[in-house]
Amino acid sequence: MNSTWVKHAISEINADYQRSADTHLIRLALPAFPGIQLYLKDESTHPTGSLKHRLARSLFLYGLCNGWINENTTIIESSSGSTAVSEAYFARLLGLPFIAVMPSCTAKRKIEQIEFYGGRCHFVQSACEIYEASEMLARELNGHYMDQFTYAERATDWRGNNNIADSIFRQMTHEPNPEPSWVVMSAGTGGTSATIGRYIRCQGYNTQLMVVDPQNSVFHDYWQTRDTSLRSPTGSKIEGIGRPRVEPSFIPDVVDEMLRVPDAASVATALWLEDQLGRKVGASTGTNMWGALQLATRMRDEGRSGSIVTLLCDSGERYLDTYYNPEWVASNIGEIAPWQAELAAMMKS
Ligand SMILES: *Cc1c(COP(=O)(O)O)cnc(C)c1O
Protein backbone atom coordinates (compact mmCIF):
# COMPACT_ATOMS: atom_id res chain seq x y z
CA MET A 1 0.00 0.00 0.00
CA ASN A 2 1.09 3.57 -0.73
CA SER A 3 2.17 5.63 2.24
CA THR A 4 0.41 8.96 2.74
CA TRP A 5 3.62 10.69 1.66
CA VAL A 6 3.90 8.72 -1.59
CA LYS A 7 0.24 9.47 -2.41
CA HIS A 8 0.91 13.15 -1.75
CA ALA A 9 4.09 13.09 -3.87
CA ILE A 10 2.30 11.54 -6.84
CA SER A 11 -0.55 14.05 -6.61
CA GLU A 12 2.00 16.91 -6.46
CA ILE A 13 3.55 15.69 -9.73
CA ASN A 14 0.14 15.27 -11.35
CA ALA A 15 -0.91 18.75 -10.23
CA ASP A 16 2.30 20.19 -11.66
CA TYR A 17 1.47 18.44 -14.94
CA GLN A 18 -2.03 19.95 -14.95
CA ARG A 19 -0.50 23.42 -14.60
CA SER A 20 1.76 22.80 -17.61
CA ALA A 21 1.12 23.53 -21.29
CA ASP A 22 2.19 21.40 -24.24
CA THR A 23 5.19 22.55 -26.30
CA HIS A 24 4.91 24.17 -29.75
CA LEU A 25 5.52 22.52 -33.08
CA ILE A 26 7.33 25.16 -35.15
CA ARG A 27 7.14 25.06 -38.95
CA LEU A 28 10.32 26.17 -40.65
CA ALA A 29 9.84 27.87 -44.03
CA LEU A 30 12.49 26.63 -46.47
CA PRO A 31 11.86 28.04 -49.96
CA ALA A 32 14.69 25.89 -51.39
CA PHE A 33 12.65 22.77 -50.58
CA PRO A 34 9.30 23.16 -52.33
CA GLY A 35 6.71 20.60 -51.20
CA ILE A 36 8.82 19.57 -48.20
CA GLN A 37 7.83 20.82 -44.75
CA LEU A 38 10.22 20.85 -41.80
CA TYR A 39 9.02 21.03 -38.21
CA LEU A 40 10.74 21.50 -34.87
CA LYS A 41 9.09 20.30 -31.66
CA ASP A 42 10.24 23.03 -29.30
CA GLU A 43 11.16 21.33 -26.03
CA SER A 44 13.09 24.34 -24.77
CA THR A 45 9.91 25.91 -23.36
CA HIS A 46 9.39 23.43 -20.52
CA PRO A 47 9.83 25.06 -17.07
CA THR A 48 13.31 23.48 -16.78
CA GLY A 49 14.36 24.31 -20.33
CA SER A 50 14.66 20.96 -22.13
CA LEU A 51 12.99 17.72 -23.18
CA LYS A 52 14.36 16.22 -19.95
CA HIS A 53 11.43 17.80 -18.11
CA ARG A 54 9.27 14.97 -19.51
CA LEU A 55 11.86 12.33 -18.58
CA ALA A 56 12.34 13.65 -15.03
CA ARG A 57 8.58 13.58 -14.41
CA SER A 58 8.39 9.99 -15.73
CA LEU A 59 11.42 8.82 -13.71
CA PHE A 60 10.04 10.26 -10.45
CA LEU A 61 6.63 8.65 -11.03
CA TYR A 62 8.35 5.36 -11.92
CA GLY A 63 10.49 5.47 -8.77
CA LEU A 64 7.53 6.40 -6.56
CA CYS A 65 5.22 3.74 -8.01
CA ASN A 66 7.95 1.10 -7.73
CA GLY A 67 8.40 1.88 -4.05
CA TRP A 68 11.97 3.07 -4.63
CA ILE A 69 11.44 6.64 -3.41
CA ASN A 70 10.03 7.70 -0.05
CA GLU A 71 10.08 10.85 2.06
CA ASN A 72 13.64 10.21 3.30
CA THR A 73 15.25 9.30 -0.02
CA THR A 74 18.22 11.23 -1.37
CA ILE A 75 17.96 11.26 -5.18
CA ILE A 76 21.19 10.73 -7.12
CA GLU A 77 21.62 10.95 -10.88
CA SER A 78 24.36 10.63 -13.47
CA SER A 79 23.86 13.28 -16.11
CA SER A 80 25.44 15.52 -18.71
CA GLY A 81 23.35 18.25 -17.10
CA SER A 82 19.89 18.61 -18.65
CA THR A 83 18.32 15.69 -16.78
CA ALA A 84 19.86 16.86 -13.53
CA VAL A 85 18.31 20.33 -13.95
CA SER A 86 14.85 18.81 -14.46
CA GLU A 87 15.22 16.25 -11.67
CA ALA A 88 16.40 18.97 -9.27
CA TYR A 89 13.13 20.77 -10.05
CA PHE A 90 11.01 17.72 -9.21
CA ALA A 91 13.12 16.84 -6.14
CA ARG A 92 12.47 20.32 -4.79
CA LEU A 93 8.75 19.95 -5.57
CA LEU A 94 8.74 16.83 -3.36
CA GLY A 95 11.15 18.20 -0.73
CA LEU A 96 13.86 15.58 -1.42
CA PRO A 97 17.64 16.14 -1.42
CA PHE A 98 19.19 15.83 -4.88
CA ILE A 99 22.78 15.20 -6.04
CA ALA A 100 23.86 15.38 -9.69
CA VAL A 101 26.97 13.46 -10.77
CA MET A 102 28.37 15.19 -13.86
CA PRO A 103 31.54 15.60 -15.93
CA SER A 104 33.44 18.72 -14.84
CA CYS A 105 33.06 20.22 -18.34
CA THR A 106 29.25 20.57 -17.99
CA ALA A 107 27.85 23.97 -19.05
CA LYS A 108 28.06 26.52 -16.24
CA ARG A 109 24.49 27.62 -16.83
CA LYS A 110 23.21 24.10 -16.12
CA ILE A 111 25.22 23.91 -12.89
CA GLU A 112 23.68 27.21 -11.79
CA GLN A 113 20.20 25.93 -12.59
CA ILE A 114 20.71 22.71 -10.59
CA GLU A 115 21.84 24.80 -7.64
CA PHE A 116 18.95 27.22 -8.17
CA TYR A 117 16.56 24.29 -7.60
CA GLY A 118 18.44 23.34 -4.44
CA GLY A 119 20.43 20.46 -5.95
CA ARG A 120 24.09 19.66 -5.29
CA CYS A 121 26.69 18.88 -7.94
CA HIS A 122 29.32 16.16 -7.64
CA PHE A 123 31.94 16.40 -10.39
CA VAL A 124 34.02 13.68 -12.01
CA GLN A 125 36.76 14.07 -14.62
CA SER A 126 35.20 12.32 -17.61
CA ALA A 127 31.82 11.17 -18.88
CA CYS A 128 32.73 7.48 -18.36
CA GLU A 129 33.08 7.93 -14.59
CA ILE A 130 29.56 9.18 -13.82
CA TYR A 131 27.96 5.74 -13.54
CA GLU A 132 30.23 4.24 -10.89
CA ALA A 133 30.43 7.48 -8.91
CA SER A 134 26.60 7.60 -8.81
CA GLU A 135 26.33 3.99 -7.61
CA MET A 136 28.91 4.66 -4.90
CA LEU A 137 27.16 7.80 -3.67
CA ALA A 138 23.82 6.00 -3.58
CA ARG A 139 25.36 3.19 -1.47
CA GLU A 140 27.09 5.61 0.91
CA LEU A 141 24.01 7.77 1.46
CA ASN A 142 21.47 4.96 1.24
CA GLY A 143 19.88 7.00 -1.53
CA HIS A 144 18.22 6.14 -4.84
CA TYR A 145 20.21 6.27 -8.09
CA MET A 146 17.63 7.24 -10.73
CA ASP A 147 19.78 5.85 -13.59
CA GLN A 148 18.20 7.59 -16.58
CA PHE A 149 20.44 5.65 -18.97
CA THR A 150 18.81 2.38 -17.91
CA TYR A 151 15.24 3.45 -17.15
CA ALA A 152 14.43 6.21 -19.69
CA GLU A 153 12.96 3.78 -22.23
CA ARG A 154 10.68 2.03 -19.72
CA ALA A 155 9.63 4.93 -17.49
CA THR A 156 7.86 6.59 -20.46
CA ASP A 157 4.54 5.24 -21.67
CA TRP A 158 5.28 4.91 -25.40
CA ARG A 159 1.77 3.69 -26.33
CA GLY A 160 0.27 7.16 -26.25
CA ASN A 161 -0.89 9.00 -23.16
CA ASN A 162 0.38 12.38 -24.25
CA ASN A 163 4.00 11.34 -24.63
CA ILE A 164 6.14 13.42 -26.99
CA ALA A 165 5.34 11.24 -30.03
CA ASP A 166 1.59 11.39 -29.41
CA SER A 167 1.83 15.17 -29.06
CA ILE A 168 3.79 15.52 -32.35
CA PHE A 169 1.37 13.39 -34.37
CA ARG A 170 -1.68 15.21 -32.93
CA GLN A 171 -0.11 18.60 -33.71
CA MET A 172 0.53 17.50 -37.30
CA THR A 173 -3.10 16.63 -38.13
CA HIS A 174 -3.91 19.88 -40.02
CA GLU A 175 -0.63 20.06 -41.96
CA PRO A 176 -0.24 19.45 -45.73
CA ASN A 177 1.53 16.13 -45.00
CA PRO A 178 0.20 15.10 -41.57
CA GLU A 179 2.02 11.77 -41.51
CA PRO A 180 5.72 12.67 -41.44
CA SER A 181 7.99 10.84 -43.88
CA TRP A 182 10.69 11.02 -41.22
CA VAL A 183 11.21 11.87 -37.59
CA VAL A 184 14.84 12.71 -36.78
CA MET A 185 16.24 12.50 -33.26
CA SER A 186 19.63 12.29 -31.57
CA ALA A 187 20.28 9.91 -28.67
CA GLY A 188 21.52 10.62 -25.16
CA THR A 189 19.71 8.02 -23.10
CA GLY A 190 17.99 6.89 -26.29
CA GLY A 191 14.68 7.18 -24.45
CA THR A 192 13.08 9.68 -26.82
CA SER A 193 13.99 7.75 -29.97
CA ALA A 194 12.68 4.56 -28.30
CA THR A 195 9.38 6.26 -27.46
CA ILE A 196 8.97 7.71 -30.97
CA GLY A 197 9.96 4.46 -32.73
CA ARG A 198 7.64 2.30 -30.63
CA TYR A 199 4.78 4.78 -30.97
CA ILE A 200 5.12 4.78 -34.78
CA ARG A 201 4.87 0.96 -34.82
CA CYS A 202 2.10 0.82 -32.27
CA GLN A 203 -0.05 3.33 -34.21
CA GLY A 204 0.72 1.79 -37.60
CA TYR A 205 2.26 4.88 -39.20
CA ASN A 206 4.57 4.63 -42.23
CA THR A 207 6.90 7.26 -40.76
CA GLN A 208 10.58 6.32 -40.60
CA LEU A 209 12.89 7.13 -37.70
CA MET A 210 16.42 8.45 -38.23
CA VAL A 211 18.79 8.69 -35.27
CA VAL A 212 21.71 11.10 -35.67
CA ASP A 213 24.90 10.49 -33.69
CA PRO A 214 27.79 12.89 -32.90
CA GLN A 215 31.52 12.09 -32.86
CA ASN A 216 32.89 10.11 -29.88
CA SER A 217 29.63 8.15 -29.49
CA VAL A 218 29.19 4.39 -29.77
CA PHE A 219 25.51 4.33 -30.78
CA HIS A 220 26.13 4.38 -34.54
CA ASP A 221 28.62 1.47 -34.46
CA TYR A 222 26.37 -0.42 -32.05
CA TRP A 223 23.40 -0.03 -34.39
CA GLN A 224 25.48 -1.66 -37.15
CA THR A 225 27.27 -4.35 -35.13
CA ARG A 226 25.07 -4.89 -32.00
CA ASP A 227 28.30 -5.15 -30.03
CA THR A 228 27.37 -4.04 -26.49
CA SER A 229 31.01 -3.95 -25.36
CA LEU A 230 31.81 -0.88 -27.49
CA ARG A 231 33.47 2.00 -25.59
CA SER A 232 34.64 5.47 -26.55
CA PRO A 233 37.65 6.81 -24.63
CA THR A 234 36.50 10.42 -24.98
CA GLY A 235 33.15 11.94 -24.15
CA SER A 236 30.86 13.60 -26.70
CA LYS A 237 31.37 17.33 -27.24
CA ILE A 238 27.71 17.81 -28.13
CA GLU A 239 26.05 18.18 -24.74
CA GLY A 240 23.08 15.91 -24.12
CA ILE A 241 23.82 13.38 -26.87
CA GLY A 242 26.36 10.73 -27.81
CA ARG A 243 27.56 8.24 -25.19
CA PRO A 244 30.89 6.54 -24.41
CA ARG A 245 29.12 3.18 -23.82
CA VAL A 246 26.02 1.44 -25.17
CA GLU A 247 23.20 2.65 -22.93
CA PRO A 248 20.48 0.11 -22.08
CA SER A 249 17.77 2.67 -22.98
CA PHE A 250 18.88 2.87 -26.61
CA ILE A 251 16.65 0.48 -28.59
CA PRO A 252 18.32 -0.15 -31.98
CA ASP A 253 15.56 -2.22 -33.58
CA VAL A 254 13.07 0.68 -33.79
CA VAL A 255 15.59 2.85 -35.71
CA ASP A 256 15.29 2.75 -39.53
CA GLU A 257 18.45 4.68 -40.33
CA MET A 258 21.39 6.23 -38.49
CA LEU A 259 23.65 9.07 -39.55
CA ARG A 260 26.98 10.18 -38.09
CA VAL A 261 27.16 13.98 -37.87
CA PRO A 262 30.53 15.75 -37.49
CA ASP A 263 30.55 18.04 -34.43
CA ALA A 264 31.48 21.03 -36.61
CA ALA A 265 28.38 20.39 -38.75
CA SER A 266 26.20 20.28 -35.61
CA VAL A 267 27.55 23.60 -34.35
CA ALA A 268 27.34 25.25 -37.80
CA THR A 269 23.71 24.11 -38.12
CA ALA A 270 22.83 25.38 -34.63
CA LEU A 271 24.22 28.81 -35.56
CA TRP A 272 22.38 28.68 -38.91
CA LEU A 273 19.13 27.88 -37.08
CA GLU A 274 19.58 31.00 -34.96
CA ASP A 275 19.21 33.03 -38.16
CA GLN A 276 16.12 31.08 -39.19
CA LEU A 277 14.33 31.20 -35.82
CA GLY A 278 15.59 34.44 -34.32
CA ARG A 279 16.85 32.66 -31.22
CA LYS A 280 19.64 30.39 -30.09
CA VAL A 281 19.36 26.61 -29.87
CA GLY A 282 21.66 24.02 -28.28
CA ALA A 283 24.15 22.01 -30.33
CA SER A 284 22.13 18.77 -30.24
CA THR A 285 19.36 20.64 -32.05
CA GLY A 286 21.99 21.43 -34.70
CA THR A 287 22.77 17.70 -34.98
CA ASN A 288 19.05 16.93 -35.38
CA MET A 289 18.56 19.65 -37.97
CA TRP A 290 21.61 18.55 -39.97
CA GLY A 291 20.07 15.08 -40.25
CA ALA A 292 16.68 16.54 -41.20
CA LEU A 293 18.29 18.68 -43.92
CA GLN A 294 20.15 15.66 -45.35
CA LEU A 295 16.81 13.85 -45.64
CA ALA A 296 15.12 16.93 -47.13
CA THR A 297 17.89 17.09 -49.74
CA ARG A 298 17.46 13.40 -50.54
CA MET A 299 13.69 13.85 -50.91
CA ARG A 300 14.20 16.89 -53.13
CA ASP A 301 16.69 14.99 -55.34
CA GLU A 302 14.21 12.13 -55.68
CA GLY A 303 11.37 14.53 -56.50
CA ARG A 304 9.37 13.59 -53.41
CA SER A 305 7.23 15.82 -51.22
CA GLY A 306 6.45 15.23 -47.55
CA SER A 307 7.15 16.38 -44.03
CA ILE A 308 10.07 15.88 -41.62
CA VAL A 309 9.86 16.45 -37.88
CA THR A 310 12.76 16.91 -35.51
CA LEU A 311 13.31 18.28 -32.01
CA LEU A 312 14.52 21.57 -30.62
CA CYS A 313 15.97 19.98 -27.47
CA ASP A 314 17.13 23.01 -25.49
CA SER A 315 17.96 26.69 -25.80
CA GLY A 316 21.35 28.08 -26.81
CA GLU A 317 21.29 30.50 -23.90
CA ARG A 318 22.81 27.67 -21.86
CA TYR A 319 25.87 27.59 -24.11
CA LEU A 320 26.87 31.24 -24.58
CA ASP A 321 30.41 30.54 -23.32
CA THR A 322 30.84 27.44 -25.53
CA TYR A 323 29.00 26.91 -28.84
CA TYR A 324 28.22 30.63 -29.12
CA ASN A 325 31.78 31.66 -28.31
CA PRO A 326 33.86 31.60 -31.56
CA GLU A 327 37.14 31.12 -29.64
CA TRP A 328 35.81 28.11 -27.75
CA VAL A 329 34.46 26.66 -31.00
CA ALA A 330 37.78 27.20 -32.81
CA SER A 331 39.81 25.41 -30.14
CA ASN A 332 37.31 22.67 -29.19
CA ILE A 333 35.31 21.91 -32.34
CA GLY A 334 37.45 23.21 -35.20
CA GLU A 335 36.60 24.89 -38.49
CA ILE A 336 32.87 25.37 -38.98
CA ALA A 337 33.14 27.59 -42.10
CA PRO A 338 33.07 24.66 -44.61
CA TRP A 339 29.81 23.42 -43.05
CA GLN A 340 28.35 26.91 -43.10
CA ALA A 341 29.19 27.06 -46.82
CA GLU A 342 27.53 23.68 -47.37
CA LEU A 343 24.37 24.89 -45.59
CA ALA A 344 24.31 28.02 -47.74
CA ALA A 345 24.68 25.87 -50.89
CA MET A 346 21.85 23.59 -49.76
CA MET A 347 19.55 26.60 -49.44
CA LYS A 348 20.38 27.81 -52.96
CA SER A 349 19.75 24.73 -55.11
C1 LIG B 1 18.94 14.22 -23.39
C2 LIG B 1 19.11 15.13 -24.48
C3 LIG B 1 18.95 14.69 -25.81
C4 LIG B 1 18.65 13.24 -26.16
O1 LIG B 1 17.44 12.73 -25.61
P1 LIG B 1 17.32 11.23 -25.08
O2 LIG B 1 15.89 10.99 -24.92
O3 LIG B 1 18.03 11.17 -23.74
O4 LIG B 1 17.97 10.31 -26.04
C5 LIG B 1 19.15 15.63 -26.81
N1 LIG B 1 19.48 16.92 -26.53
C6 LIG B 1 19.62 17.37 -25.26
C7 LIG B 1 19.98 18.80 -25.02
C8 LIG B 1 19.43 16.50 -24.20
O5 LIG B 1 19.57 16.93 -22.95
Side-chain angles (χ1 to χ4, degrees):
M1 200 182 77
N2 261 353
S3 76
T4 314
W5 184 86
V6 169
K7 277 185 190 155
H8 165 76
I10 291 169
S11 78
E12 273 293 339
I13 293 176
N14 290 334
D16 183 79
Y17 180 66
Q18 279 309 311
R19 296 191 298 269
S20 305
D22 199 2
T23 58
H24 294 269
L25 188 64
I26 299 170
R27 185 161 67 191
L28 204 61
L30 294 176
F33 296 89
I36 300 168
Q37 296 86 36
L38 261 128
Y39 301 84
L40 282 158
K41 177 72 168 157
D42 184 3
E43 294 291 293
S44 72
T45 60
H46 288 290
T48 56
S50 81
L51 75 169
K52 291 306 189 319
H53 199 76
R54 297 179 190 269
L55 175 61
R57 182 193 292 127
S58 300
L59 286 169
F60 268 95
L61 284 174
Y62 194 68
L64 287 162
C65 296
N66 280 330
W68 295 343
I69 298 172
N70 63 49
E71 61 199 298
N72 302 312
T73 309
T74 296
I75 306 294
I76 292 137
E77 182 64 296
S78 54
S79 176
S80 68
S82 297
T83 303
V85 174
S86 301
E87 286 176 347
Y89 169 95
F90 284 100
R92 189 178 72 166
L93 184 75
L94 306 186
L96 299 174
F98 177 76
I99 304 172
V101 180
M102 300 184 298
S104 48
C105 59
T106 306
K108 217 170 59 200
R109 186 84 193 96
K110 289 187 195 169
I111 297 165
E112 287 165 4
Q113 282 176 306
I114 292 162
E115 288 168 351
F116 171 80
Y117 290 121
R120 269 173 47 206
C121 300
H122 176 99
F123 295 106
V124 293
Q125 271 311 308
S126 77
C128 345
E129 296 167 46
I130 56 177
Y131 315 100
E132 229 177 286
S134 300
E135 282 168 20
M136 250 172 59
L137 265 180
R139 268 198 307 272
E140 276 168 24
L141 302 170
N142 195 24
H144 173 60
Y145 172 27
M146 291 287 250
D147 197 356
Q148 58 167 334
F149 295 108
T150 299
Y151 294 109
E153 57 89 5
R154 66 194 88 158
T156 305
D157 180 0
W158 47 269
R159 294 164 194 84
N161 226 341
N162 198 37
N163 66 44
I164 190 167
D166 190 48
S167 169
I168 289 171
F169 280 81
R170 274 189 292 104
Q171 287 176 319
M172 284 294 290
T173 48
H174 293 278
E175 296 307 307
N177 293 290
E179 186 175 336
S181 302
W182 290 92
V183 175
V184 180
M185 182 53 188
S186 43
T189 62
T192 307
S193 53
T195 299
I196 293 170
R198 286 164 169 169
Y199 180 86
I200 288 169
R201 277 167 176 71
C202 187
Q203 302 288 327
Y205 289 117
N206 293 308
T207 305
Q208 289 188 275
L209 173 64
M210 170 183 268
V211 169
V212 281
D213 207 29
Q215 291 171 232
N216 301 307
S217 175
V218 298
F219 287 136
H220 186 276
D221 286 344
Y222 169 62
W223 183 73
Q224 288 181 323
T225 63
R226 303 301 153 101
D227 177 359
T228 52
S229 71
L230 291 169
R231 294 286 182 278
S232 164
T234 18
S236 166
K237 288 181 186 162
I238 307 299
E239 272 194 47
I241 62 169
R243 302 299 311 162
R245 66 166 204 194
V246 176
E247 303 296 353
S249 266
F250 178 74
I251 310 294
D253 293 321
V254 302
V255 178
D256 295 292
E257 193 170 326
M258 281 199 70
L259 179 72
R260 220 189 281 277
V261 179
D263 293 349
S266 296
V267 174
T269 311
L271 300 183
W272 172 84
L273 256 179
E274 184 187 6
D275 291 336
Q276 309 300 311
L277 298 171
R279 60 200 172 92
K280 295 178 171 65
V281 300
S284 71
T285 304
T287 316
N288 291 349
M289 195 65 204
W290 179 265
L293 288 172
Q294 298 309 305
L295 290 170
T297 305
R298 189 196 295 175
M299 285 167 69
R300 182 174 63 185
D301 291 348
E302 292 171 351
R304 290 175 204 267
S305 58
S307 58
I308 304 170
V309 179
T310 192
L311 270 71
L312 198 173
C313 299
D314 66 355
S315 155
E317 301 300 326
R318 285 175 160 179
Y319 310 105
L320 297 180
D321 45 359
T322 56
Y323 308 123
Y324 288 88
N325 172 355
E327 280 151 33
W328 185 93
V329 171
S331 51
N332 290 274
I333 302 289
E335 277 262 23
I336 62 166
W339 302 102
Q340 291 176 309
E342 193 157 333
L343 284 162
M346 240 185 256
M347 297 306 141
K348 276 206 189 94
S349 359

XYZ file of all heavy atoms in Angstrom, residues 50-52 55 80 82-83 110 148 185-193 239-241 284 313-314 318-319, ligand 1:
198
model
N 14.312 21.985 -21.135
C 14.664 20.961 -22.130
C 13.654 19.816 -22.129
O 12.770 19.742 -21.269
C 16.059 20.385 -21.863
O 15.999 19.406 -20.846
N 13.837 18.909 -23.096
C 12.988 17.718 -23.183
C 13.101 16.842 -21.944
O 12.248 16.001 -21.693
C 13.322 16.915 -24.456
C 14.602 16.087 -24.504
C 14.580 15.175 -25.718
C 15.844 16.917 -24.521
N 14.157 17.038 -21.137
C 14.358 16.218 -19.952
C 13.310 16.491 -18.877
O 13.219 15.741 -17.905
C 15.765 16.422 -19.382
C 16.864 15.867 -20.269
C 16.626 14.408 -20.593
C 17.772 13.724 -21.295
N 18.433 14.505 -22.331
N 11.180 13.509 -19.106
C 11.860 12.325 -18.579
C 11.906 12.365 -17.050
O 11.637 11.361 -16.386
C 13.279 12.215 -19.149
C 14.136 11.075 -18.578
C 13.511 9.713 -18.866
C 15.559 11.129 -19.130
N 24.593 14.513 -18.072
C 25.436 15.518 -18.708
C 24.841 16.897 -18.452
O 25.245 17.875 -19.050
C 25.557 15.241 -20.209
O 24.322 15.445 -20.840
N 21.298 18.258 -18.428
C 19.890 18.606 -18.647
C 18.956 17.812 -17.737
O 18.023 18.373 -17.142
C 19.492 18.329 -20.092
O 20.243 19.132 -20.958
N 19.191 16.518 -17.620
C 18.321 15.690 -16.777
C 18.432 16.125 -15.324
O 17.435 16.190 -14.605
C 18.690 14.200 -16.920
O 18.596 13.853 -18.292
C 17.746 13.316 -16.118
N 23.953 25.248 -16.653
C 23.207 24.096 -16.122
C 23.519 23.887 -14.645
O 22.630 23.582 -13.856
C 23.559 22.835 -16.915
C 23.001 22.814 -18.330
C 23.273 21.455 -18.957
C 23.077 21.490 -20.457
N 23.597 20.260 -21.094
N 18.942 7.271 -15.355
C 18.203 7.588 -16.584
C 18.643 6.729 -17.765
O 17.826 6.396 -18.629
C 18.383 9.061 -16.928
C 19.844 9.474 -17.107
C 20.008 10.847 -17.750
O 19.141 11.295 -18.489
N 21.105 11.517 -17.453
N 15.894 12.225 -34.652
C 16.240 12.498 -33.260
C 17.640 12.001 -32.953
O 18.088 11.005 -33.519
C 15.218 11.815 -32.338
C 15.430 12.044 -30.844
S 15.548 13.808 -30.395
C 16.040 13.689 -28.668
N 18.332 12.719 -32.070
C 19.631 12.286 -31.572
C 19.397 11.438 -30.319
O 18.297 11.432 -29.769
C 20.468 13.513 -31.248
O 19.675 14.478 -30.572
N 20.436 10.758 -29.848
C 20.279 9.913 -28.670
C 21.260 10.273 -27.563
O 22.462 10.397 -27.796
C 20.438 8.447 -29.046
N 20.705 10.470 -26.363
C 21.515 10.617 -25.157
C 21.282 9.353 -24.346
O 22.090 8.431 -24.346
N 20.120 9.300 -23.688
C 19.707 8.025 -23.096
C 19.223 7.086 -24.199
O 19.291 5.876 -24.072
C 18.546 8.225 -22.110
O 17.417 8.740 -22.820
C 18.915 9.176 -20.997
N 18.672 7.669 -25.271
C 17.989 6.886 -26.295
C 16.497 6.749 -25.988
O 15.740 6.168 -26.767
N 16.079 7.312 -24.873
C 14.681 7.183 -24.446
C 13.690 7.817 -25.409
O 12.643 7.233 -25.709
N 14.025 8.997 -25.931
C 13.082 9.683 -26.822
C 12.958 8.943 -28.151
O 11.844 8.757 -28.660
C 13.521 11.146 -27.048
O 13.717 11.761 -25.777
C 12.466 11.922 -27.827
N 14.090 8.492 -28.708
C 13.992 7.745 -29.968
C 13.254 6.425 -29.753
O 12.492 5.988 -30.625
C 15.371 7.520 -30.596
O 16.275 6.943 -29.693
N 26.670 18.464 -26.035
C 26.049 18.184 -24.739
C 24.651 17.619 -24.879
O 23.830 18.124 -25.625
C 26.002 19.462 -23.885
C 27.280 19.624 -23.083
C 27.153 20.662 -21.971
O 26.174 20.649 -21.220
O 28.067 21.495 -21.879
N 24.405 16.538 -24.141
C 23.084 15.907 -24.120
C 23.005 14.663 -24.979
O 22.137 13.819 -24.772
N 23.911 14.544 -25.968
C 23.823 13.380 -26.873
C 25.189 12.724 -27.073
O 26.234 13.340 -26.834
C 23.230 13.757 -28.252
C 24.120 14.786 -28.976
C 21.817 14.285 -28.078
C 23.741 14.998 -30.436
N 22.797 20.013 -29.837
C 22.128 18.765 -30.243
C 20.985 19.055 -31.212
O 20.665 18.229 -32.067
C 21.629 17.981 -29.023
O 20.526 18.623 -28.416
N 15.838 20.641 -28.781
C 15.975 19.980 -27.471
C 16.165 20.946 -26.314
O 15.632 20.754 -25.236
C 17.128 18.994 -27.507
S 16.884 17.685 -28.720
N 16.971 21.972 -26.518
C 17.131 23.010 -25.486
C 17.639 24.305 -26.109
O 17.998 24.342 -27.295
C 18.007 22.542 -24.308
C 19.466 22.286 -24.680
O 19.824 22.367 -25.880
O 20.260 22.013 -23.753
N 22.013 28.453 -22.796
C 22.814 27.666 -21.862
C 24.278 27.570 -22.285
O 25.120 27.162 -21.502
C 22.276 26.235 -21.820
C 20.998 26.075 -21.062
C 20.515 24.650 -21.207
N 19.584 24.329 -20.141
C 18.979 23.159 -20.029
N 19.219 22.214 -20.904
N 18.144 22.934 -19.046
N 24.540 27.879 -23.547
C 25.865 27.590 -24.112
C 26.557 28.827 -24.672
O 27.314 28.737 -25.627
C 25.727 26.528 -25.208
C 24.937 25.312 -24.789
C 23.639 25.117 -25.245
C 25.493 24.364 -23.934
C 22.908 23.998 -24.861
C 24.765 23.244 -23.547
C 23.474 23.069 -24.011
O 22.753 21.963 -23.629
C 18.937 14.219 -23.387
C 19.112 15.128 -24.484
C 18.952 14.690 -25.808
C 18.655 13.240 -26.162
O 17.436 12.728 -25.610
P 17.321 11.230 -25.078
O 15.889 10.986 -24.919
O 18.032 11.166 -23.737
O 17.973 10.309 -26.041
C 19.150 15.633 -26.814
N 19.480 16.925 -26.525
C 19.618 17.370 -25.262
C 19.983 18.799 -25.015
C 19.427 16.496 -24.195
O 19.570 16.934 -22.953
